[in-house]
Amino acid sequence: MPIAMHYEKQNKKSTYIFYGLLIALAMYGFYKNGLTYVFMGKMNLIEASKPIVFLAVAILGRMLYNFLKKQPLTKHLYEGILLGLITPVNFPIWLYILLVVLYFALKYIRLRVFVYRILFFKLLLILTGFLFHVPYENAIEVATPYLYGILDVFLGRAVGNFGTTSILLLICCYAFFSYQIYYKKEIPIAILTSYAIILFLLEIIFPTGNYFLNLLNSHVWFMAIFLSPINEYSPVSKKGLMFYGIFLGSILAFCYHFWHFENSSYLILAVFQVLCFLLRPIYIKKKAIL
Protein backbone atom coordinates (compact mmCIF):
# COMPACT_ATOMS: atom_id res chain seq x y z
CA MET A 1 0.00 0.00 0.00
CA PRO A 2 1.31 3.51 -0.77
CA ILE A 3 1.31 4.56 2.87
CA ALA A 4 3.65 1.64 3.71
CA MET A 5 3.15 1.10 7.44
CA HIS A 6 6.77 0.23 8.28
CA TYR A 7 6.80 1.79 11.74
CA GLU A 8 3.75 0.17 13.32
CA LYS A 9 3.89 1.84 16.72
CA GLN A 10 4.54 5.27 15.24
CA ASN A 11 1.85 4.80 12.61
CA LYS A 12 -0.88 3.29 14.78
CA LYS A 13 -2.88 6.50 14.62
CA SER A 14 -2.28 6.68 10.86
CA THR A 15 -3.60 3.13 10.48
CA TYR A 16 -6.85 4.06 12.22
CA ILE A 17 -7.25 7.14 10.03
CA PHE A 18 -6.56 5.10 6.90
CA TYR A 19 -9.18 2.50 7.79
CA GLY A 20 -11.59 5.29 8.68
CA LEU A 21 -11.18 6.78 5.20
CA LEU A 22 -11.72 3.39 3.54
CA ILE A 23 -14.85 2.83 5.63
CA ALA A 24 -16.08 6.31 4.64
CA LEU A 25 -15.61 5.41 0.95
CA ALA A 26 -17.48 2.14 1.49
CA MET A 27 -20.32 3.81 3.40
CA TYR A 28 -20.75 6.44 0.72
CA GLY A 29 -20.73 3.75 -1.98
CA PHE A 30 -23.40 1.83 -0.06
CA TYR A 31 -25.48 4.98 0.28
CA LYS A 32 -25.06 6.06 -3.35
CA ASN A 33 -25.69 2.66 -4.93
CA GLY A 34 -28.18 1.25 -2.43
CA LEU A 35 -29.66 3.15 0.47
CA THR A 36 -30.61 6.21 -1.57
CA TYR A 37 -32.81 4.01 -3.78
CA VAL A 38 -34.24 2.21 -0.74
CA PHE A 39 -35.35 5.58 0.62
CA MET A 40 -36.92 6.37 -2.78
CA GLY A 41 -38.75 3.04 -2.83
CA LYS A 42 -36.98 1.84 -5.99
CA MET A 43 -34.98 -0.97 -4.38
CA ASN A 44 -35.35 -3.27 -1.39
CA LEU A 45 -32.72 -3.53 1.32
CA ILE A 46 -31.53 -6.98 0.22
CA GLU A 47 -30.83 -5.75 -3.33
CA ALA A 48 -29.16 -2.64 -1.96
CA SER A 49 -26.83 -4.72 0.23
CA LYS A 50 -25.16 -6.55 -2.67
CA PRO A 51 -22.00 -4.34 -2.63
CA ILE A 52 -21.52 -5.16 1.05
CA VAL A 53 -21.15 -8.79 -0.01
CA PHE A 54 -18.14 -7.74 -2.14
CA LEU A 55 -16.47 -6.25 0.92
CA ALA A 56 -17.32 -9.24 3.13
CA VAL A 57 -16.02 -11.80 0.61
CA ALA A 58 -12.72 -9.98 0.06
CA ILE A 59 -12.16 -9.36 3.78
CA LEU A 60 -12.84 -13.03 4.54
CA GLY A 61 -10.46 -13.93 1.71
CA ARG A 62 -7.73 -11.83 3.31
CA MET A 63 -8.44 -13.37 6.74
CA LEU A 64 -8.22 -16.89 5.29
CA TYR A 65 -4.93 -15.91 3.65
CA ASN A 66 -3.66 -14.65 7.02
CA PHE A 67 -4.75 -17.91 8.67
CA LEU A 68 -2.93 -20.06 6.10
CA LYS A 69 0.15 -17.87 6.43
CA LYS A 70 -0.10 -18.11 10.25
CA GLN A 71 -0.40 -14.34 10.57
CA PRO A 72 -2.79 -12.31 12.77
CA LEU A 73 -6.25 -12.58 11.20
CA THR A 74 -6.67 -8.80 11.14
CA LYS A 75 -3.38 -8.09 9.37
CA HIS A 76 -3.73 -5.83 6.30
CA LEU A 77 -7.49 -6.12 6.03
CA TYR A 78 -7.39 -2.90 4.03
CA GLU A 79 -6.47 -5.09 1.06
CA GLY A 80 -9.84 -6.84 1.24
CA ILE A 81 -11.67 -3.53 1.59
CA LEU A 82 -9.91 -2.13 -1.48
CA LEU A 83 -10.84 -5.17 -3.57
CA GLY A 84 -14.48 -4.54 -2.72
CA LEU A 85 -14.29 -0.79 -3.34
CA ILE A 86 -12.97 -1.14 -6.91
CA THR A 87 -15.67 -3.60 -8.01
CA PRO A 88 -18.60 -2.51 -10.24
CA VAL A 89 -21.85 -2.87 -8.27
CA ASN A 90 -23.46 -5.03 -10.96
CA PHE A 91 -20.62 -7.55 -11.00
CA PRO A 92 -21.86 -11.18 -10.61
CA ILE A 93 -21.21 -12.34 -7.06
CA TRP A 94 -20.27 -15.89 -8.09
CA LEU A 95 -17.66 -14.57 -10.51
CA TYR A 96 -16.36 -12.11 -7.94
CA ILE A 97 -15.87 -14.93 -5.41
CA LEU A 98 -13.86 -16.89 -8.00
CA LEU A 99 -11.64 -13.86 -8.71
CA VAL A 100 -11.03 -13.24 -5.00
CA VAL A 101 -10.05 -16.89 -4.52
CA LEU A 102 -7.75 -16.68 -7.56
CA TYR A 103 -6.22 -13.42 -6.32
CA PHE A 104 -5.31 -14.74 -2.87
CA ALA A 105 -4.24 -18.13 -4.27
CA LEU A 106 -1.73 -16.40 -6.56
CA LYS A 107 -0.62 -14.26 -3.66
CA TYR A 108 -0.22 -17.35 -1.45
CA ILE A 109 2.06 -19.14 -3.93
CA ARG A 110 3.97 -15.86 -4.34
CA LEU A 111 3.45 -15.64 -8.07
CA ARG A 112 5.18 -12.45 -9.18
CA VAL A 113 3.04 -10.03 -11.12
CA PHE A 114 4.43 -7.04 -12.99
CA VAL A 115 1.86 -4.56 -11.70
CA TYR A 116 0.65 -3.61 -8.24
CA ARG A 117 -1.58 -6.43 -6.94
CA ILE A 118 -4.68 -4.25 -6.43
CA LEU A 119 -4.30 -3.04 -10.01
CA PHE A 120 -3.84 -6.66 -11.10
CA PHE A 121 -7.19 -7.52 -9.48
CA LYS A 122 -8.80 -4.55 -11.23
CA LEU A 123 -7.47 -5.83 -14.55
CA LEU A 124 -9.10 -9.19 -13.80
CA LEU A 125 -12.38 -7.37 -13.13
CA ILE A 126 -12.05 -5.46 -16.40
CA LEU A 127 -11.32 -8.58 -18.44
CA THR A 128 -14.12 -10.71 -16.98
CA GLY A 129 -16.48 -7.72 -16.93
CA PHE A 130 -15.88 -7.28 -20.65
CA LEU A 131 -16.50 -10.97 -21.32
CA PHE A 132 -19.74 -10.98 -19.32
CA HIS A 133 -20.85 -7.46 -20.40
CA VAL A 134 -20.89 -6.03 -16.86
CA PRO A 135 -21.65 -2.27 -16.83
CA TYR A 136 -20.42 0.24 -14.26
CA GLU A 137 -23.96 1.52 -13.75
CA ASN A 138 -25.97 0.21 -10.81
CA ALA A 139 -29.34 -1.49 -11.37
CA ILE A 140 -31.32 1.77 -11.28
CA GLU A 141 -28.91 3.63 -13.57
CA VAL A 142 -29.14 0.78 -16.08
CA ALA A 143 -32.95 0.83 -16.04
CA THR A 144 -33.58 4.58 -16.09
CA PRO A 145 -31.89 7.61 -17.74
CA TYR A 146 -29.63 9.64 -15.46
CA LEU A 147 -27.82 12.96 -15.68
CA TYR A 148 -25.50 14.01 -12.88
CA GLY A 149 -24.36 17.60 -12.44
CA ILE A 150 -20.84 18.75 -11.61
CA LEU A 151 -21.51 18.99 -7.86
CA ASP A 152 -23.11 15.53 -7.87
CA VAL A 153 -20.05 14.09 -9.61
CA PHE A 154 -17.65 15.84 -7.20
CA LEU A 155 -19.48 14.44 -4.18
CA GLY A 156 -19.66 10.96 -5.70
CA ARG A 157 -23.03 10.63 -7.44
CA ALA A 158 -21.50 9.35 -10.64
CA VAL A 159 -21.10 6.07 -12.44
CA GLY A 160 -18.01 4.14 -11.38
CA ASN A 161 -16.66 1.54 -8.99
CA PHE A 162 -18.71 0.69 -5.91
CA GLY A 163 -16.74 2.81 -3.46
CA THR A 164 -14.39 5.16 -5.32
CA THR A 165 -16.69 7.70 -6.99
CA SER A 166 -16.42 10.50 -4.42
CA ILE A 167 -13.75 12.98 -5.53
CA LEU A 168 -14.13 14.78 -2.20
CA LEU A 169 -13.26 11.65 -0.22
CA LEU A 170 -10.43 10.79 -2.60
CA ILE A 171 -8.94 14.26 -1.97
CA CYS A 172 -9.19 13.57 1.77
CA CYS A 173 -7.30 10.31 1.20
CA TYR A 174 -4.59 12.16 -0.70
CA ALA A 175 -4.28 14.74 2.09
CA PHE A 176 -3.69 11.88 4.52
CA PHE A 177 -1.29 9.95 2.26
CA SER A 178 0.82 13.05 1.56
CA TYR A 179 1.99 13.05 5.20
CA GLN A 180 3.25 9.46 4.96
CA ILE A 181 6.99 9.20 4.45
CA TYR A 182 6.94 6.53 1.72
CA TYR A 183 4.13 8.03 -0.34
CA LYS A 184 5.26 9.66 -3.60
CA LYS A 185 2.89 12.60 -3.41
CA GLU A 186 4.42 14.25 -6.49
CA ILE A 187 3.00 11.61 -8.84
CA PRO A 188 -0.74 12.23 -8.22
CA ILE A 189 -0.20 15.99 -8.48
CA ALA A 190 1.70 15.59 -11.77
CA ILE A 191 -0.93 13.24 -13.19
CA LEU A 192 -3.96 15.32 -12.22
CA THR A 193 -2.39 18.67 -13.15
CA SER A 194 -1.24 17.52 -16.60
CA TYR A 195 -4.56 15.74 -17.11
CA ALA A 196 -6.49 18.94 -16.33
CA ILE A 197 -4.29 21.18 -18.51
CA ILE A 198 -4.20 18.91 -21.57
CA LEU A 199 -7.91 18.22 -21.23
CA PHE A 200 -8.57 21.98 -21.13
CA LEU A 201 -6.48 22.60 -24.25
CA LEU A 202 -8.25 19.79 -26.07
CA GLU A 203 -11.60 21.22 -25.03
CA ILE A 204 -10.67 24.57 -26.56
CA ILE A 205 -9.56 22.99 -29.84
CA PHE A 206 -12.18 20.23 -29.98
CA PRO A 207 -15.08 21.42 -27.78
CA THR A 208 -17.39 18.78 -26.31
CA GLY A 209 -19.00 20.65 -23.41
CA ASN A 210 -17.93 17.86 -21.03
CA TYR A 211 -14.73 19.35 -19.64
CA PHE A 212 -15.68 19.37 -15.95
CA LEU A 213 -17.35 15.97 -16.10
CA ASN A 214 -14.22 14.51 -17.74
CA LEU A 215 -12.02 16.36 -15.26
CA LEU A 216 -13.89 14.80 -12.34
CA ASN A 217 -13.51 11.28 -13.68
CA SER A 218 -13.30 9.16 -10.51
CA HIS A 219 -11.33 6.41 -12.29
CA VAL A 220 -8.52 8.89 -13.02
CA TRP A 221 -8.54 10.30 -9.48
CA PHE A 222 -8.55 6.90 -7.79
CA MET A 223 -5.82 5.61 -10.08
CA ALA A 224 -3.67 8.70 -9.51
CA ILE A 225 -4.02 8.73 -5.71
CA PHE A 226 -4.14 5.04 -4.80
CA LEU A 227 -2.45 3.07 -7.58
CA SER A 228 0.17 5.21 -9.31
CA PRO A 229 2.62 6.07 -6.44
CA ILE A 230 3.53 2.47 -5.53
CA ASN A 231 7.26 2.42 -4.78
CA GLU A 232 8.16 -0.79 -6.59
CA TYR A 233 6.24 0.13 -9.75
CA SER A 234 7.07 3.81 -10.19
CA PRO A 235 10.24 5.84 -10.89
CA VAL A 236 12.81 6.57 -8.21
CA SER A 237 14.30 9.95 -9.17
CA LYS A 238 12.47 13.27 -8.82
CA LYS A 239 12.72 13.92 -12.56
CA GLY A 240 11.46 10.41 -13.24
CA LEU A 241 8.47 10.96 -10.93
CA MET A 242 7.48 14.16 -12.71
CA PHE A 243 7.96 12.73 -16.21
CA TYR A 244 6.01 9.62 -15.22
CA GLY A 245 3.10 11.66 -13.86
CA ILE A 246 2.99 14.26 -16.64
CA PHE A 247 3.23 11.70 -19.44
CA LEU A 248 0.57 9.47 -17.86
CA GLY A 249 -1.81 12.37 -17.23
CA SER A 250 -1.37 13.69 -20.80
CA ILE A 251 -2.13 10.32 -22.40
CA LEU A 252 -5.20 9.92 -20.20
CA ALA A 253 -6.48 13.34 -21.26
CA PHE A 254 -6.41 12.30 -24.92
CA CYS A 255 -8.06 8.95 -24.17
CA TYR A 256 -10.96 10.36 -22.18
CA HIS A 257 -11.52 13.38 -24.40
CA PHE A 258 -11.69 11.47 -27.68
CA TRP A 259 -12.62 7.89 -26.82
CA HIS A 260 -14.32 7.99 -23.38
CA PHE A 261 -13.10 4.48 -22.59
CA GLU A 262 -13.91 4.01 -18.89
CA ASN A 263 -11.01 1.69 -18.10
CA SER A 264 -8.29 3.73 -19.84
CA SER A 265 -6.69 4.86 -16.58
CA TYR A 266 -6.15 1.30 -15.29
CA LEU A 267 -4.93 -0.15 -18.58
CA ILE A 268 -2.50 2.69 -19.31
CA LEU A 269 -1.18 2.64 -15.74
CA ALA A 270 -0.61 -1.11 -16.07
CA VAL A 271 1.57 -0.52 -19.14
CA PHE A 272 3.53 2.17 -17.29
CA GLN A 273 4.01 -0.03 -14.21
CA VAL A 274 5.27 -2.95 -16.29
CA LEU A 275 7.80 -0.67 -17.98
CA CYS A 276 8.94 0.79 -14.65
CA PHE A 277 9.21 -2.68 -13.12
CA LEU A 278 11.37 -3.90 -15.99
CA LEU A 279 13.54 -0.77 -16.20
CA ARG A 280 14.04 -0.25 -12.47
CA PRO A 281 16.87 -2.84 -12.07
CA ILE A 282 18.72 -1.22 -14.99
CA TYR A 283 18.42 2.21 -13.35
CA ILE A 284 19.63 0.92 -9.97
CA LYS A 285 22.57 -0.94 -11.55
CA LYS A 286 23.58 2.11 -13.57
CA LYS A 287 23.37 4.35 -10.50
CA ALA A 288 25.52 1.89 -8.50
CA ILE A 289 28.19 1.92 -11.21
CA LEU A 290 28.25 5.70 -11.39
Side-chain angles (χ1 to χ4, degrees):
M1 194 52 216
I3 60 174
M5 301 293 184
H6 288 285
Y7 304 101
E8 294 185 6
K9 291 183 180 179
Q10 180 180 345
N11 285 326
K12 205 168 186 180
K13 183 177 179 181
S14 295
T15 304
Y16 293 145
I17 295 173
F18 178 47
Y19 276 97
L21 289 169
L22 292 182
I23 291 171
L25 287 168
M27 290 178 64
Y28 184 83
F30 180 42
Y31 169 77
K32 181 261 176 184
N33 293 291
L35 286 183
T36 183
Y37 298 116
V38 173
F39 299 149
M40 294 168 63
K42 294 184 177 182
M43 187 181 291
N44 61 52
L45 189 58
I46 295 177
E47 291 176 308
S49 300
K50 179 182 176 181
I52 302 301
V53 176
F54 295 146
L55 291 173
V57 167
I59 291 173
L60 287 174
R62 175 67 212 198
M63 293 178 72
L64 178 59
Y65 172 84
N66 287 338
F67 175 77
L68 294 175
K69 284 287 188 178
K70 298 181 180 180
Q71 300 174 156
L73 291 181
T74 57
K75 183 177 181 180
H76 294 166
L77 291 185
Y78 67 77
E79 185 175 23
I81 299 174
L82 279 171
L83 297 185
L85 293 179
I86 63 175
T87 304
V89 291
N90 263 330
F91 205 83
I93 292 178
W94 67 269
L95 182 56
Y96 177 77
I97 293 174
L98 289 178
L99 293 184
V100 170
V101 171
L102 174 64
Y103 173 84
F104 283 110
L106 295 177
K107 186 180 177 73
Y108 182 80
I109 63 175
R110 297 182 179 180
L111 182 68
R112 195 64 179 268
V113 293
F114 295 101
V115 294
Y116 178 44
R117 288 190 180 274
I118 302 297
L119 177 58
F120 174 72
F121 184 77
K122 183 60 184 177
L123 295 179
L124 291 177
L125 290 173
I126 292 171
L127 175 61
T128 52
F130 175 76
L131 294 175
F132 288 88
H133 306 286
V134 180
Y136 274 106
E137 291 87 354
N138 58 45
I140 304 301
E141 291 167 337
V142 169
T144 58
Y146 59 89
L147 180 62
Y148 296 126
I150 295 173
L151 181 60
D152 288 328
V153 174
F154 179 74
L155 295 177
R157 298 225 33 190
V159 174
N161 300 319
F162 156 57
T164 64
T165 58
S166 175
I167 304 300
L168 176 60
L169 288 176
L170 292 177
I171 291 174
C172 292
C173 290
Y174 175 76
F176 165 70
F177 289 153
S178 62
Y179 285 98
Q180 309 306 312
I181 188 171
Y182 289 98
Y183 184 72
K184 298 177 180 178
K185 56 182 178 290
E186 301 89 350
I187 292 180
I189 292 296
I191 291 174
L192 295 171
T193 301
S194 59
Y195 177 72
I197 293 173
I198 300 300
L199 201 63
F200 179 73
L201 295 176
L202 290 173
E203 183 65 27
I204 293 175
I205 302 171
F206 307 101
T208 64
N210 294 323
Y211 174 73
F212 287 105
L213 293 179
N214 286 332
L215 178 63
L216 298 176
N217 186 313
S218 63
H219 296 294
V220 175
W221 285 74
F222 176 77
M223 177 279 295
I225 293 170
F226 275 82
L227 304 180
S228 66
I230 305 303
N231 288 325
E232 190 177 1
Y233 302 99
S234 59
V236 178
S237 67
K238 290 289 184 181
K239 289 183 180 179
L241 294 178
M242 296 306 295
F243 177 79
Y244 178 83
I246 292 172
F247 196 47
L248 181 53
S250 301
I251 293 176
L252 286 173
F254 279 92
C255 287
Y256 282 110
H257 183 85
F258 290 112
W259 299 290
H260 311 289
F261 183 50
E262 294 168 315
N263 294 311
S264 295
S265 55
Y266 309 112
L267 297 176
I268 293 172
L269 177 63
V271 173
F272 272 57
Q273 287 195 352
V274 169
L275 291 175
C276 286
F277 184 87
L278 295 176
L279 295 175
R280 187 184 182 96
I282 299 175
Y283 172 83
I284 293 175
K285 184 176 181 180
K286 182 179 179 182
K287 189 175 180 181
I289 295 173
L290 293 175

